[in-house]
Amino acid sequence: MSLLKTIDTNPSFAPRESVAHPDRLISGDPSFKTWAQDVARGEMIHTGVWEATPGETRSIKGETFEFCHILSGVVELSPEGGAPVVYKAGDSFVMKPGFVGVWKTIETVRKIYVTVM
C-alpha cells in the first residue's frame, strides 16, 4: 500500500448518495454525494470528495476535526453565536471538534474533505 494518495476531484466511480437528516434540515431539499477515497489509522481518518446541492442544515462536528477545500460552488457557514463566513472555489477552512452552526449551500458545492475522529 502506497503512503502517497492522490485525491481524484472528478472520480469515475459511483458516489454514496444521501439526503439531509430530518433533525438537521433547516430549509430546502439538499442532496449529498460522497466519493470516499481513503481511510487510514483504523478508520480514524477519512479523505474524499463531497458534493451538496443548495439548502440549509445544522452542522455538528462533535469530536470530529474536518479540513475542507472548496473546488466549486459557494457555501455560507454561520457558527453558533458568530458571524456568517462565505467560502467559494479555492478557499480552505477547518471545522474543529465542537463546531456547531449552520451550513448553507448557496450554489452546488464540491469539496475535498479530510476528517479526523
Side-chain angles (χ1 to χ4, degrees), residues 46-104:
H46 293 251
T47 307
V49 173
W50 181 84
E51 186 175 278
T53 59
E56 261 183 289
T57 57
R58 300 251 324 129
S59 181
I60 303 169
K61 287 290 119 189
E63 295 302 312
T64 303
F65 170 100
E66 183 173 0
F67 167 83
C68 302
H69 177 75
I70 305 295
L71 298 167
S72 61
V74 179
V75 297
E76 178 184 270
L77 294 181
S78 299
E80 198 167 67
V85 180
V86 174
Y87 295 104
K88 59 187 180 342
D91 293 338
S92 301
F93 60 93
V94 169
M95 289 181 285
K96 294 183 178 184
F99 175 88
V100 175
V102 174
W103 176 290
K104 180 179 182 180

Side-chain angles (χ1 to χ4, degrees), residues 1-68:
M1 175 167 82
S2 175
L3 295 179
L4 178 64
K5 177 67 180 174
T6 299
I7 302 302
D8 184 351
T9 58
N10 291 300
S12 58
F13 60 92
R16 179 176 51 94
E17 297 188 37
S18 60
V19 295
H21 190 280
D23 291 347
R24 293 198 179 181
L25 181 63
I26 296 170
S27 69
D29 188 23
S31 62
F32 312 115
K33 294 179 181 178
T34 303
W35 292 268
Q37 296 188 31
D38 194 55
V39 176
R41 301 254 171 142
E43 298 283 325
M44 290 186 63
I45 303 171
H46 293 251
T47 307
V49 173
W50 181 84
E51 186 175 278
T53 59
E56 261 183 289
T57 57
R58 300 251 324 129
S59 181
I60 303 169
K61 287 290 119 189
E63 295 302 312
T64 303
F65 170 100
E66 183 173 0
F67 167 83
C68 302

